[in-house]
Amino acid sequence: MKAIIMAGGEGTRLRPITARIPKPMVPVAGRPVLEHLIRLLKKNEITEICLTLRYLPGVIRDYFGDGSEFGVSLQSRVEETPLGTAGGVRACAEFLGDEDFLVASGDGLCDFDLSACIRAHEEKQADATIVLCERKKPLEYGVVVTEADGRIREFVEKPSWDRVYSDRVNTGIYLFSNRVLEEIPEGAVYDFGKDLFPALLKKGKTLYGVTASGYWCDIGSPEAYHRCCMDVLSGAVKLDLQAKEIRPKVWCETDPEDTGAVLVPPVLIGRDVTLGRNARIGPDVILGDGSRVGDGATVRETVADGALIGENVRMDGAVVQRGVTIGQGTVVENFAVIGEGTAVG
């Protein structure tokens, strides 16, 4: 089976994290969220992948190349004008050929068993299968109502509590029969949720929902992004961190110099990170490649991607982007989000 990843998102709700990078390139545990998805597809034996790009496509192409470094064959299509989610996939018809295919959003993090979802789709011989997951508070997601056999009866987009008929939400991962491409107008703006799925239901096509077990998070806001990173550290999501665990729940890609810094797990430290004397790092901290922490600094519940954190700084619950400088003695807390290249005195 081939896959199409929708990776054209600008991520306006995620700013300032996405001020200079497209949403799929936002780092989670030191790797772009899109890389985690590509590695998940490969793990599930899906190695032919096409990306639909729009916002800053060169950033994504430069990073992933032809996919060989990640063990996949990667192509891409750039939308000069937005075509919507389904319209962008329709533009990849030549890549897909006559096979069934998987579509996924490039800005979600999950650890689903996609092979099990594919088997369910094939057993039902469905026109479309939507991968669902359970949410205790489904108000911010599209809720999907199914029959006992999994056949989809209704979609409720971001419902009020009086319209919450199900706790299963749409993850943005879809499996399609190739015949569905005929239902998408070529070169037109067309969306899965607003256009294609209602049209398929109206025509009596077979739409099923399959509920996947495991972790899924759409990093649509700074709060969701911070929560997702903390979930990685807690082990709620199963990821290959590509770092060695030097002691329980302390992962380092390269061993930092011993300066007397205290590491309180869980902590993930990237490459070429410098820790100052008597600094206290953790719990719940990710320090991305090239980060520097000054003497006596205290950092907890924070994601810092290549930032310079000065002496005696106190950081608690922050997201700090690459190239940020936090001056000596500064206090950054209450889930502050500081965009790339900013200097805080």
Side-chain angles (χ1 to χ4, degrees):
M1 182 173 283
K2 296 180 180 179
I4 294 177
I5 300 177
M6 300 177 290
E10 188 171 346
T12 54
R13 292 190 301 123
L14 197 51
R15 288 180 178 169
I17 296 170
T18 51
R20 297 184 184 179
I21 56 173
K23 189 177 178 185
M25 294 301 291
V26 169
V28 174
R31 300 284 185 275
V33 63
L34 178 56
E35 180 179 337
H36 293 301
L37 176 57
I38 289 173
R39 292 184 183 278
L40 178 66
L41 291 174
K42 181 179 182 296
K43 181 180 178 181
N44 286 269
E45 300 183 352
I46 300 173
T47 58
E48 293 185 73
I49 302 169
C50 185
L51 307 176
T52 63
L53 308 176
R54 186 166 59 86
Y55 178 64
L56 299 178
V59 175
I60 296 175
R61 282 176 158 173
D62 289 347
Y63 185 91
F64 290 100
D66 63 1
S68 56
E69 182 180 340
F70 307 93
V72 300
S73 173
L74 200 61
Q75 298 183 26
S76 62
R77 305 284 188 273
V78 178
E79 296 179 20
E80 300 300 333
T81 57
L83 293 172
T85 51
V89 169
R90 178 67 176 82
C92 300
E94 182 181 348
F95 163 78
L96 292 169
D98 57 1
E99 299 181 30
D100 284 12
F101 59 95
L102 180 146
V103 174
S105 175
D107 49 24
L109 185 73
C110 77
D111 58 9
F112 293 158
D113 181 354
L114 297 178
S115 298
C117 299
I118 292 169
R119 287 194 297 272
H121 169 75
E122 293 174 341
E123 288 169 3
K124 297 288 187 181
Q125 296 184 333
D127 290 297
T129 299
I130 299 177
V131 179
L132 312 174
C133 75
E134 295 181 353
R135 277 289 183 272
K136 293 181 180 179
K137 297 181 179 180
L139 300 186
E140 59 187 282
Y141 305 99
V143 170
V144 180
V145 183
T146 64
E147 305 288 0
D149 65 352
R151 188 152 183 164
I152 292 173
R153 188 177 78 224
E154 184 182 1
F155 297 94
V156 185
E157 186 64 27
K158 296 184 179 179
S160 56
W161 271 118
D162 63 340
R163 297 202 69 206
V164 176
Y165 309 127
S166 169
D167 61 355
R168 287 173 294 179
V169 302
N170 182 351
T171 65
I173 301 174
Y174 311 125
L175 295 153
F176 289 109
S177 162
N178 186 266
R179 57 185 175 269
V180 168
L181 290 175
E182 300 172 0
E183 307 291 334
I184 305 172
E186 187 173 2
V189 178
Y190 209 68
D191 188 75
F192 286 127
K194 295 178 182 177
D195 302 306
L196 180 62
F197 293 144
L200 293 177
L201 280 181
K202 188 175 181 180
K203 291 182 178 182
K205 302 293 185 180
T206 52
L207 273 73
Y208 282 89
V210 56
T211 302
S213 60
Y215 181 91
W216 173 79
C217 179
D218 171 17
I219 56 169
S221 66
E223 294 81 8
Y225 172 68
H226 183 273
R227 183 172 64 249
C228 178
C229 292
M230 298 300 103
D231 287 343
V232 170
L233 292 172
S234 72
V237 53
K238 296 178 178 62
L239 286 186
D240 178 7
L241 296 180
Q242 298 183 44
K244 60 182 178 180
E245 193 171 8
I246 60 173
R247 56 188 176 86
K249 293 194 174 183
V250 175
W251 299 273
C252 297
E253 292 199 47
T254 56
D255 291 334
E257 182 183 351
D258 185 6
T259 59
V262 178
L263 302 179
V264 183
V267 173
L268 172 61
I269 297 176
R271 294 181 292 267
D272 302 320
V273 172
T274 301
L275 304 179
R277 294 188 301 275
N278 301 317
R280 185 177 180 87
I281 313 298
D284 300 314
V285 170
I286 297 176
L287 296 178
D289 296 352
S291 296
R292 297 178 180 275
V293 180
D295 296 347
T298 300
V299 184
R300 63 188 304 273
E301 286 191 55
T302 290
V303 181
D305 181 32
L308 174 58
I309 300 168
E311 295 180 6
N312 300 313
V313 165
R314 188 169 81 244
M315 301 187 72
D316 191 352
V319 174
V320 183
Q321 291 301 99
R322 183 160 296 279
V324 167
T325 299
I326 306 295
Q328 180 178 347
T330 302
V331 177
V332 184
E333 54 187 9
N334 295 330
F335 300 99
V337 183
I338 302 175
E340 186 173 342
T342 303
V344 180

